[in-house]
Amino acid sequence: MPQIRFPQLKSQIIILIYPFFLSLLGCIPNSPKSVPLAKLERSQQGMVVSAHPLASEAGQLILQKGGNAVDAAVATAFAISVVEPFSAGIGGGGFLLMGTPPENSETQKEYKIQALDFRERSPKAATRDMYLNQEGEVDQRASLDGHLAVGVPGTVAGLYTVHKDYGKLPWSELLQSAIGYARDGFEVSDRFVSRLERRLEVINKNPAAKAAFTKNGQPYQPGDLLIQTDKAQTLETIAENPQSFYTGKIGEAIATDMAANGGLITLEDLKDYTPIWRQPVCGEFRQARVCAMPPPSSGGVHLLQILNIIGETNLPQWGRQNPDTIHLLTEAMGVAYADRSKYLGDPDFVQVPVQELTSRSYAQQVRQEINLEQAKPVTEVQPAAPETLRNYIWESPNTTHLTVVDEERLVISMTYTINGSFGAGVVTAGTGILLNNEMDDFAAAPGVANLYGLVGGEANAIAPKKTPLSSMTPTIVTQDGQLIMATGSPGGSTIITTVLQVVLNVLEYKMDAAQAVSAPRFHHQWLPDKLILETGGFSEATVNELQRRGHNVEMRDGWGNANAIVVTESGVLEAAADPRGEGEAKGE
Ligand code: DON
């Protein structure tokens, strides 16, 4: 078996700095120790759920005006860019899954699921070793802070692409709520302020970011009104002409600011930016069909891989909080993240063995090798050898999240991001656009961990115009032509396991949407070798038993900020936003 290059010393460093980075970049929400139950919202018609009440309201308004799920998702996404600017926005990128119900059940039996990749791409001038210093070591901050950390943003192009072909209402109408929030201001929350405080030092180094998000370098306080005049103007321009972001005055401002500050993005990079429609990855779990984002996200592949490893195991009989269940899933997670580190990358640059990794026979093999009594030490968990993986053939043809379903049951599940809190901490002067630090999702060097402690290798090395590997997992679950649920979450490396657990909570444990997004979570990602359990969610006996089986258990306060829409048997939409965040569901 090939060994991934992963020196011992590096693994120790990763284990030490990983929680520190997560908290610094604001990916661990300030959630209470024991998570309260989310509020359940019901509607017969349409539903929008996002990470901020004002953004959900923007989408709800569009549904009420006769817009469809695409229109509402676009309006919600632009609003998030204003009211939750630290998490996602027009300076970032993401993925969208769209599910269209069968028009005629005679000719079309299943939902049609399409996946849109509007993730950031590396600039043309990016190089493999761009984050190494003269000693050949990774400069950890260079891919996180400042202009060099920024990937070419895809959000505006992505939203326009899906709207052009599938939207109903005029484009400019969809931006009006966002423009209003930016121009008139909105009250910032505790969550906003805590993230701002953590990134204040970096933000204050960039004059435009400092002007946009601080009061002369001091953080806003909860309840203060944040007015974003430049962003309002930029959104007005995009409302008139979305291309202005790439070929017009906004693009020129970004390129000029980059050139003056050591960034790599040129006007040519912006002009070349193209969203890509991709085939989602879909698989069967029990009677349901689970579809999620394919590479360049690792999310869909590993979600299906873990579901396949669960296989026929009777999880409901085992019980959700049971050590056996947690142990089995943890071992499956370890294998999935080990394979991720070797095989996953931009499919336009490397061959990703999607069919093999999501094949049932490979999963069965992994399942057989899991010792239910003893955790496998991570040093013994290695990515599958290519020659092994080749034996598994496909058996059948086949960092904010928002979910929208309309009256026709058209569904959008969309996760998009600027990566770390407040992205690169850079605002393009005169535009109010906060730029991403998505370049950190590449493997800066083989075996060196990124912000989320994830390691990667050749498949995710930096190259010009390449897309960094993601974990974002927008997901749609259907059965016999009916929608069952749609979900997703932010949370960096924890996204895949969060989405997995929300899906299992609904499909296996028959929870409603509120219970499914509230239930305590656990996470393992192979490296660092830690089984992370949510504080307050697991009994002492369970923790002891997991430790006895060899798991390095660590308790941590809640992570992720999932939301979900679930369709009940009587066809009612039920939705909930993660109580660990401040999101809300709004029915039409
Ligand atoms: O694409 C990814 O996997 C990451 N850039 C997502 C970042 C994220 O979820 C931040 N949340 N805490």
Side-chain angles (χ1 to χ4, degrees), residues 340-377:
R340 182 190 193 277
S341 73
K342 183 176 171 74
Y343 292 107
L344 271 286
D346 180 347
D348 298 335
F349 283 70
V350 291
Q351 249 216 319
V352 184
V354 173
Q355 297 195 343
E356 292 86 339
L357 288 170
T358 56
S359 86
R360 292 241 177 122
S361 38
Y362 174 46
Q364 266 167 14
Q365 180 65 35
V366 171
R367 175 75 170 85
Q368 275 165 19
E369 286 170 13
I370 292 176
N371 177 346
L372 285 177
E373 267 303 301
Q374 186 66 35
K376 196 169 189 175

Side-chain angles (χ1 to χ4, degrees), residues 26-27 119 399 417 419-420 438 441 452 469-472 490-492 495:
C27 282
R119 181 148 165 94
T399 310
T417 186
N419 195 28
E438 218 70 58
D441 275 349
Y452 307 104
L469 181 60
S470 174
S471 303
M472 293 188 287
I495 293 174

Side-chain angles (χ1 to χ4, degrees), residues 22 25-29 86-87 93-95 119-120 195 296-298 340 399-400 415-421 437-438 440-441 450-452 454 468-473 489-496 560-561:
L22 278 181
L25 272 286
C27 282
I28 300 175
F86 55 83
S87 77
F95 301 125
R119 181 148 165 94
E120 300 88 332
R195 275 150 184 74
S297 181
S298 59
R340 182 190 193 277
T399 310
T400 201
T415 314
Y416 81 125
T417 186
I418 53 172
N419 195 28
S421 275
N437 57 358
E438 218 70 58
D440 186 67
D441 275 349
N450 74 356
L451 171 62
Y452 307 104
L454 290 168
L469 181 60
S470 174
S471 303
M472 293 188 287
T473 316
S489 177
S493 57
T494 63
I495 293 174
I496 303 169
N561 194 9

Side-chain angles (χ1 to χ4, degrees), residues 88-275:
I90 57 175
F95 301 125
L96 174 147
L97 232 60
M98 180 170 75
T100 316
E103 238 172 65
N104 175 344
S105 54
E106 288 303 307
T107 52
Q108 190 193 345
K109 294 276 173 237
E110 256 300 355
Y111 257 74
K112 180 180 172 193
I113 312 288
Q114 293 161 273
L116 183 65
D117 162 7
F118 57 96
R119 181 148 165 94
E120 300 88 332
R121 323 268 182 235
S122 62
K124 207 171 155 195
T127 57
R128 182 190 177 86
D129 298 334
M130 63 189 277
Y131 298 118
L132 303 189
N133 62 20
Q134 283 176 342
E135 285 73 47
E137 288 157 354
V138 174
D139 176 354
Q140 297 278 5
R141 302 310 311 174
S143 61
L144 289 169
D145 306 333
H147 289 74
L148 205 58
V150 185
V152 183
T155 298
V156 175
L159 296 177
Y160 187 65
T161 296
V162 66
H163 177 265
K164 182 165 50 77
D165 289 339
Y166 301 101
K168 257 168 83 180
L169 296 185
W171 168 258
S172 63
E173 202 172 323
L174 309 180
L175 281 91
Q176 294 314 310
S177 291
I179 293 169
Y181 296 150
R183 189 190 50 224
D184 306 331
F186 71 101
E187 282 183 16
V188 300
S189 61
D190 294 347
R191 197 162 151 262
F192 181 101
V193 174
S194 77
R195 275 150 184 74
L196 179 61
E197 282 170 347
R198 287 184 217 155
R199 291 289 275 163
L200 197 59
E201 202 182 318
V202 176
I203 288 169
N204 275 339
K205 283 188 188 144
N206 179 261
K210 183 177 170 184
F213 295 116
T214 74
K215 295 189 278 190
N216 289 325
Q218 296 303 312
Y220 279 83
Q221 293 308 312
D224 283 350
L225 202 64
L226 177 68
I227 292 175
Q228 301 171 75
T229 312
D230 284 348
K231 193 179 276 174
Q233 184 53 54
T234 293
L235 290 171
E236 295 264 17
T237 308
I238 293 170
E240 277 162 34
N241 173 19
Q243 275 310 321
S244 60
F245 191 95
Y246 297 94
T247 57
K249 64 180 189 185
I250 303 173
E252 281 163 17
I254 295 173
T256 307
D257 199 57
M258 283 281 155
N261 292 286
L264 299 184
I265 298 175
T266 62
L267 200 54
E268 193 190 337
D269 285 318
L270 290 160
K271 282 183 179 157
D272 282 356
Y273 186 88
T274 323

Side-chain angles (χ1 to χ4, degrees), residues 48 54-64 71-73 75-76 79 177 404:
V48 183
L54 290 176
S56 301
E57 223 171 274
Q60 181 191 36
L61 189 69
I62 291 298
L63 289 181
Q64 286 164 349
D71 297 321
T76 307
S177 291
V404 185

